[in-house]
Amino acid sequence: EGLANMLLEMPDGQVPLGAMQLVHRLLGAGIRPVIVHPERNRGVMEKSERLEPFIDAGCRVQITAGSLVGQFGARAQAAAAGLLERGWVHAVASDAHNTTGRRPRMRDAADWLTRHHGAELARLLTVLGPAELCGQSEAEAAAVPPQGARAAPRPEAGQPAGQ
C-alpha cells in the first residue's frame, strides 16, 4: 500500500474527540496509524464499536500480549478477546517496558492464541502481522521459525556451514 506505519496510543480513559480527524490527516500524509493496546482503553472496553470508524478508515490494531493472558485484568482480557472475535487485530506485541516489571509475555500470548484460535492465527498475529507492520515482506517474516522450534546451529567462525 506504500504507507508508513506509526504507532498511535490513545489515553486510557476514552477515545479522544478529534482522533478521527488526526487519523485522516495522517492517512492523507501517507502514514497509517497502528492503534496500540486499545483493549486497555476504558471507552473501548465499554463499547468496542468505538474502534470501528478507525478500522474502516484503514488503521491497524495491535493488542498487548499481557492483555490476552490477563495481566491487565479481566476487562482488558475480555476486550482483547472481543477485538479478536471481530477480526480487528492485526498484531500482538509485548508492550514490555523492561524484563522484570512488565515482561514481554509473547510466548504466553502465542500459547493462548493457539489454544483459543489455532496455531495459524497465533503465528499470523505474533510473527507475520508484526513483521508486516515493521515493513518486512511475507517471505522475510516466514523465515522466522515457528514458536518453540529451534533454529539450526550457526557454524563456527571460519567453518563452512554443515560441518
Side-chain angles (χ1 to χ4, degrees), residues 95-106:
D95 198 26
H97 291 211
N98 55 52
T99 58
T100 55
R102 190 181 293 176
R103 294 181 15 246
R105 308 296 301 263
M106 289 300 292

Side-chain angles (χ1 to χ4, degrees), residues 3 10 25 28-29 35 40 48 66 68 74 77 82 96 105-106 111 127 129 136 144-146 148 155 157 159 161-162:
L3 297 175
M10 295 185 194
R25 290 184 73 187
I35 301 174
R40 291 166 32 204
S48 62
L68 286 176
Q77 186 175 31
R105 308 296 301 263
M106 289 300 292
D111 291 345
V127 177
Q136 285 188 319
V144 175
Q159 295 289 321

Side-chain angles (χ1 to χ4, degrees), residues 68 84 92 108-118 121-122 125-126:
L68 286 176
L84 280 167
V92 174
D108 296 337
D111 291 345
W112 187 97
L113 285 163
T114 299
R115 279 193 314 276
H116 292 88
H117 297 280
L121 185 65
L125 295 179
T126 62

Side-chain angles (χ1 to χ4, degrees), residues 121-136:
L121 185 65
R123 184 163 169 77
L124 175 68
L125 295 179
T126 62
V127 177
L128 302 177
E132 185 266 329
L133 293 177
C134 292
Q136 285 188 319

Side-chain angles (χ1 to χ4, degrees), residues 1 25 29 38 54 65 78 93 114 116 120 128 131 140 142 148 150 152:
E1 295 175 1
R25 290 184 73 187
F54 296 91
T114 299
H116 292 88
E120 187 175 330
L128 302 177
E140 291 170 317
R150 297 204 180 269

Side-chain angles (χ1 to χ4, degrees), residues 9-160:
E9 182 173 3
M10 295 185 194
D12 290 339
Q14 76 280 338
V15 176
L17 292 175
M20 277 307 301
Q21 288 88 343
L22 173 63
V23 163
H24 289 299
R25 290 184 73 187
L26 290 169
L27 289 167
I31 300 168
R32 177 179 35 222
V34 179
I35 301 174
V36 296
H37 51 72
E39 76 283 0
R40 291 166 32 204
N41 176 287
R42 280 187 224 94
V44 173
M45 282 187 219
E46 292 167 6
K47 190 174 179 183
S48 62
E49 296 81 27
R50 290 184 171 128
L51 205 54
E52 193 164 12
F54 296 91
I55 303 296
D56 291 345
C59 293
R60 297 293 191 255
V61 173
Q62 174 181 291
I63 61 173
T64 304
S67 293
L68 286 176
V69 298
Q71 180 178 357
F72 297 100
R75 287 185 70 205
Q77 186 175 31
L83 296 175
L84 280 167
E85 290 297 326
R86 288 178 171 265
W88 289 352
V89 178
H90 299 89
V92 174
S94 71
D95 198 26
H97 291 211
N98 55 52
T99 58
T100 55
R102 190 181 293 176
R103 294 181 15 246
R105 308 296 301 263
M106 289 300 292
R107 184 172 304 269
D108 296 337
D111 291 345
W112 187 97
L113 285 163
T114 299
R115 279 193 314 276
H116 292 88
H117 297 280
E120 187 175 330
L121 185 65
R123 184 163 169 77
L124 175 68
L125 295 179
T126 62
V127 177
L128 302 177
E132 185 266 329
L133 293 177
C134 292
Q136 285 188 319
S137 70
E138 189 170 331
E140 291 170 317
V144 175
Q147 193 78 17
R150 297 204 180 269
R154 293 177 180 225
E156 295 286 327
Q159 295 289 321

